[in-house]
Amino acid sequence: MQSPLARPLPRWMSTAAVVLIVAGVFAWRWPGAAEVPPQTGAADAAGRRYASPDACASCHRSIARSYSLTGMARSFARVQAGTPVLAEIDTGTGLVHAASGRHYTMTVRDGRLFLRRHTLGPDGNPADVVERSADYVIGSGNHARTFLHREADGRLRELPVSWYADRGGYWAMSPGYDRPAHLDFRRVISTDCMSCHNGYPRGPVVDTGSGPRFPEPLPEGIDCQRCHGPGQDHIDAARARDREAARRAIVNPARLGRDRQIEVCLQCHLETTSSPLPFQIRRFDRPPFSYVPGTSLGDYFIHFDHAPGSGREDKFEIVGSATYRLRQSACFQRSAMTCTT
């Protein structure tokens, strides 16, 4: 199976064709049953079992400690009394979004963070008031933090205001919200969003058509198994002092071939376009959270891209451009370097 980057979008594929493909895929996958991701004690399609993320630290203390300081490890957290995020953001201040005419205020009450939105009525007083709790935060805070509200049924909704770390820290509209007709409190977090911003959920994720319902407790941060694959068999072999079995049971990205090694990063760092059309579609027979490092990413996602020679080779977009820039570099083309070189 070729690397995803080796499969450009054919010239003949028009916008209409892409729309039809998307419609067909989603019609096939219209959720009527539970989508069950890997979880603690569960196995992937090859029978490899996932472990509790905390188990890795029992043998790899130094690595676990240093990894815990990275942005990936701090990518997702619960917002509650005593969490560092409440001390690192400015609360009680307001944000006026001129494009939509909405006013937003973040406040803390009883150790919980809330976002309040209102407009101004004809008499100049607050109207159309809505308030939601900020129950989780996406983002380490190195660059930004976006907040999520949890519904009673387990669905997560993105809040329209985010905290940005530069210039001493400030509130502004969340990515994609700085426009008159934004989604406000209506954007439901998808499994695709969760799969790259957090560790794999530890229980079944049910979606009956109105958005995925994530089980509690949610992981807090991307854990070791995102890059090393399911770890329970590795742990069991290590406890049995079977060194060779332990090595075979875990993925060491450094020992993978170049394409498979790069795809460990590309599972989340390949976005071929930021346009409204999808840049990738998960294959219909692959449930969410089922990609395993060391396997072909092309067996999990179908990626769409501009055809070679279409004049779009030098594009610069938000997420996926790093991949293009790396592959265009002289160092990459003249050596065997990868993302981790």
Side-chain angles (χ1 to χ4, degrees):
M1 181 66 68
Q2 289 180 303
S3 170
L5 288 179
R7 301 176 187 166
L9 181 67
R11 288 181 182 275
W12 52 264
M13 184 171 286
S14 65
T15 299
V18 175
V19 171
L20 288 173
I21 290 173
V22 174
V25 170
F26 281 97
W28 179 271
R29 287 190 53 80
W30 187 258
E35 294 183 329
V36 183
Q39 53 189 293
T40 302
D44 71 351
R48 294 165 291 199
R49 296 172 297 150
Y50 283 82
S52 169
D54 299 334
C56 303
S58 61
C59 290
H60 304 283
R61 289 186 182 87
S62 177
I63 295 173
R65 189 180 305 112
S66 63
Y67 177 71
S68 70
L69 302 176
T70 67
M72 286 179 62
R74 297 181 292 114
S75 63
F76 193 95
R78 184 183 296 274
V79 179
Q80 57 189 358
T83 54
V85 64
L86 293 181
E88 295 170 4
I89 60 175
D90 184 17
T91 58
T93 58
L95 168 68
V96 179
H97 186 228
S100 64
R102 295 178 174 127
H103 299 239
Y104 297 95
T105 306
M106 298 293 281
T107 58
V108 175
R109 294 197 307 272
D110 301 323
R112 299 185 67 192
L113 184 64
F114 294 86
L115 175 62
R116 182 179 187 268
R117 180 262 282 161
H118 72 272
T119 59
L120 295 180
D123 58 359
N125 291 319
D128 192 24
V129 178
V130 175
E131 185 176 79
R132 294 288 184 270
S133 58
D135 301 308
Y136 298 97
V137 58
I138 286 180
S140 65
N142 291 349
H143 302 288
R145 286 190 170 104
T146 295
F147 297 88
L148 307 181
H149 169 72
R150 183 180 180 88
E151 302 280 2
D153 62 6
R155 287 179 297 168
L156 301 175
R157 295 186 185 272
E158 181 176 342
L159 299 187
V161 175
S162 293
W163 176 257
Y164 296 89
D166 62 334
R167 305 203 306 266
Y170 64 96
W171 293 105
M173 301 305 290
S174 298
Y177 281 78
D178 194 9
R179 54 187 178 181
H182 60 69
L183 288 175
D184 208 32
F185 295 95
R186 299 187 300 276
R187 184 183 181 189
V188 177
I189 298 300
S190 68
T191 53
D192 287 341
C193 293
M194 185 63 75
S195 68
C196 280
H197 286 286
N198 197 15
Y200 285 174
R202 300 171 191 173
V205 177
V206 178
D207 188 347
T208 57
S210 59
R213 301 174 184 182
F214 294 97
E216 287 276 23
L218 281 172
E220 295 194 35
I222 297 168
D223 64 69
C224 308
Q225 296 169 106
R226 176 56 57 86
C227 297
H228 293 280
Q232 189 60 54
D233 291 348
H234 169 75
I235 292 171
D236 291 347
R239 287 173 175 167
R241 301 184 183 279
D242 189 337
R243 187 181 183 89
E244 286 306 311
R247 292 185 64 175
R248 290 194 304 269
I250 201 72
V251 175
N252 183 342
R255 297 194 179 102
L256 296 175
R258 192 188 195 194
D259 282 349
R260 296 293 90 81
Q261 186 179 146
I262 292 175
E263 286 173 0
V264 173
C265 302
L266 297 191
Q267 62 175 302
C268 289
H269 293 279
L270 173 59
E271 184 173 309
T272 52
T273 180
S274 298
S275 68
L277 289 173
F279 66 94
Q280 66 183 22
I281 295 176
R282 182 165 33 86
R283 292 183 180 273
F284 75 92
D285 58 344
R286 295 298 300 269
F289 314 109
S290 64
Y291 170 74
V292 175
T295 62
S296 171
L297 189 61
D299 290 340
Y300 184 65
F301 283 129
I302 299 172
H303 285 88
F304 296 94
D305 199 3
H306 298 282
S310 61
R312 301 297 296 272
E313 289 81 5
D314 199 40
K315 63 185 175 183
F316 187 87
E317 298 187 21
I318 297 174
V319 178
S321 296
T323 299
Y324 287 95
R325 298 295 175 177
L326 173 65
R327 294 176 70 88
Q328 290 169 358
S329 70
C331 292
F332 185 90
Q333 295 179 13
R334 297 173 185 173
S335 71
M337 73 177 296
T338 67
C339 305
T340 58
T341 298

